[in-house]
Amino acid sequence: MSIGVITCLTDSDFEDLVVESLISTELPDLTLEFRAISATNLRTHLANLPSDDCRRIVIHDLGALDLKGITLHPALVVISLASGNAEYIRGEVARALRDFDVTKRIEREIRSDLVLVTGTSGSPGISTIALNIANELAIDNEIHLIDKDPNRKDLAFLLGGKRDEPAIRLNSRLSISQRDLATSARLQIADGGAAPEIRQALSDRRTIARSYSDILEMAGRVVFVVQPENNTMFELERFLAARESELFHARPIFLINKLDQTRRQLSIQRRLKARIGTYPVSVAPLDLKAIELAKSQYSPLADVAPRSKLRRSLQELARSLVE
C-alpha cells in the first residue's frame, strides 16, 4: 500500500527536514503528495481527496487543526509536529501509523468458547498451565487444546510426543493439535506463549505477530500467567494497559504461578495483586516435586500428583472458566 505525505508547515527549512526524513528506506512506500501553503489550502486539498486505497499522512504545525465540515478520507492520519530531529520525526510517523492500524483494524468475532493462556516471558509455566487446566476441564467436557506458541511447541512434547507432532489425543475428551480451532469442543484452550507488546503485535503484519494477535482478538477469556519476580511487573503493566485501552476484549484472569512462602515473594505477590486490581487472581504454589514427576512420566498433574496443592489450585482455576 502506498502512503502519501501531505505537509502544512510554516517553516520551510523544517518542512524540508520532514520530507527528507520520511522519504527514505526506513519508511518505504512514502511519497510526497502535496505541500500546503496555508490552513485554507490544506482544507481544500483534503476536501478533494480521491476515493482510493492510498493511505495519507498530514503533518502540520497549525496547533488545533479545524477540519469541521470536511468529509475526511477513511485512511487519513493527522500528526501535529512543530519540531524535532530526523529520528524523532520518523518515530512519530511510525507510531501514528501503528496506532492507525490498531484503531482501524477489522473487529473479529469474539468466541466465548475460546480461552487464551499467555503470560510474561521467562518461562512462567504457560504450557504447563494450559495443559493441566485443559485436562481438568476434559473430565466433564469435550476440550480442544491448541499449541499456538510461535516460538516453542511444547504441548505434545510434555505428553511424550514429538515437538512437531501435528495432533495427539490425551484421552477421549481431550484433543491436542497445532492446527486451527475446532468446532465440536465445548471449550478451546490455546497456549499462546509469552505475550508480545500488544499494541505493536496488533499492527504487525509478520506471521508470528499475526498468529498471536488473531487468537487474542477472538478469545473470550485470557489467563495471564506471571511469576512473583520483580522483572515481571513491567510486562504485567504493559498487558494491563492494553486491556484498559480496549485493544482486546477478552476477560482476563491472572495466575501468579510458582509462588513460594519467602517474605520476598509474598511481598511481590501483594504488589502484583494491588496492580491487577479488581480482575480475578489465582495463585499456584511452587511444587517442583509434582512438576518433575509429571514431566518424567509425560502426564498431567491429575495422574501423578492428584492431591497436591498445585493440582488443586489448577482445578479451581479450571472450574472458574466454565462457571
Side-chain angles (χ1 to χ4, degrees):
M1 175 186 291
S2 61
I3 303 174
V5 177
I6 301 168
T7 62
C8 186
L9 299 164
T10 54
D11 186 330
S12 59
D13 291 335
F14 180 58
E15 187 172 42
D16 290 341
L17 173 62
V18 169
V19 173
E20 183 180 346
S21 300
L22 298 181
I23 312 304
S24 68
T25 56
E26 294 184 44
L27 291 169
D29 302 327
L30 269 70
T31 57
L32 179 62
E33 177 179 300
F34 185 72
R35 290 196 191 206
I37 59 175
S38 67
T40 301
N41 188 216
L42 175 61
R43 286 172 54 86
T44 300
H45 181 76
L46 295 180
N48 292 284
L49 287 175
S51 178
D52 55 22
D53 294 330
C54 179
R55 184 178 301 172
R56 292 173 172 85
I57 304 173
V58 176
I59 302 174
H60 69 91
D61 59 0
L62 304 174
L65 180 60
D66 182 11
L67 296 176
K68 292 180 180 178
I70 298 177
T71 301
L72 294 178
H73 192 283
L76 188 70
V77 180
V78 180
I79 304 174
S80 179
L81 192 68
S83 63
N85 58 30
E87 183 178 352
Y88 173 78
I89 293 165
R90 285 194 294 269
E92 285 296 290
V93 171
R95 179 194 58 76
L97 288 172
R98 287 197 301 270
D99 288 349
F100 179 89
D101 282 338
V102 170
T103 57
K104 300 295 183 180
R105 69 185 187 276
I106 298 173
E107 294 290 339
R108 297 181 181 276
E109 179 185 0
I110 298 174
R111 299 187 55 153
S112 60
D113 66 334
L114 176 60
V115 179
L116 171 64
V117 182
T118 185
T120 61
S121 59
S123 300
I126 296 168
S127 293
T128 299
I129 299 301
L131 172 62
N132 280 281
I133 63 174
N135 184 68
E136 296 294 343
L137 290 167
I139 295 173
D140 299 310
N141 305 279
E142 190 77 19
I143 303 297
H144 185 58
L145 179 57
I146 315 158
D147 198 335
K148 299 293 285 187
D149 188 334
N151 299 308
R152 293 187 62 176
K153 303 293 185 185
D154 280 343
L155 291 178
F157 177 75
L158 290 172
L159 297 171
K162 298 179 180 179
R163 287 188 186 274
D164 58 352
E165 194 163 349
I168 190 171
R169 181 169 284 276
L170 182 59
N171 59 50
S172 61
R173 290 194 179 94
L174 177 58
S175 58
I176 304 172
S177 77
Q178 298 178 16
R179 296 194 176 94
D180 295 331
L181 304 179
T183 56
S184 59
R186 178 182 175 184
L187 270 182
Q188 307 190 67
I189 311 294
D191 173 4
E197 204 286 310
I198 304 298
R199 182 177 293 276
Q200 183 174 344
L202 289 171
S203 60
D204 196 331
R205 294 177 177 82
R206 289 173 294 183
T207 302
I208 289 178
R210 284 261 37 108
S211 175
Y212 184 92
S213 58
D214 285 350
I215 203 81
L216 175 64
E217 289 181 286
M218 288 188 291
R221 281 159 293 177
V222 55
V223 176
F224 192 83
V225 185
V226 300
Q227 291 188 78
E229 299 292 341
N230 284 320
N231 59 0
T232 66
M233 187 63 74
F234 171 74
E235 294 180 64
L236 173 63
E237 289 276 1
R238 195 171 62 182
F239 182 83
L240 282 167
R243 178 63 184 86
E244 289 160 4
S245 299
E246 297 187 348
L247 297 183
F248 63 93
H249 301 289
R251 291 189 289 114
I253 300 171
F254 292 88
L255 174 64
I256 302 174
N257 193 30
K258 302 181 182 179
L259 179 72
D260 62 30
Q261 296 301 307
T262 63
R263 181 178 300 178
R264 174 179 174 274
Q265 288 212 342
L266 291 174
S267 174
I268 295 172
Q269 177 193 3
R270 288 192 292 271
R271 288 177 55 212
L272 290 170
K273 284 188 172 182
R275 178 59 188 93
I276 291 168
T278 58
Y279 293 116
V281 181
S282 297
V283 176
L286 178 66
D287 190 341
L288 295 176
K289 181 178 179 181
I291 291 295
E292 289 303 319
L293 187 61
K295 287 182 177 179
S296 66
Q297 298 192 25
Y298 301 105
S299 301
L301 288 166
D303 291 354
V304 297
R307 297 184 180 180
S308 66
K309 290 183 179 179
L310 176 56
R311 192 262 171 137
R312 289 201 298 270
S313 67
L314 297 183
Q315 267 186 314
E316 293 176 4
L317 175 60
R319 287 173 187 150
S320 72
L321 297 174
V322 292
E323 290 176 351

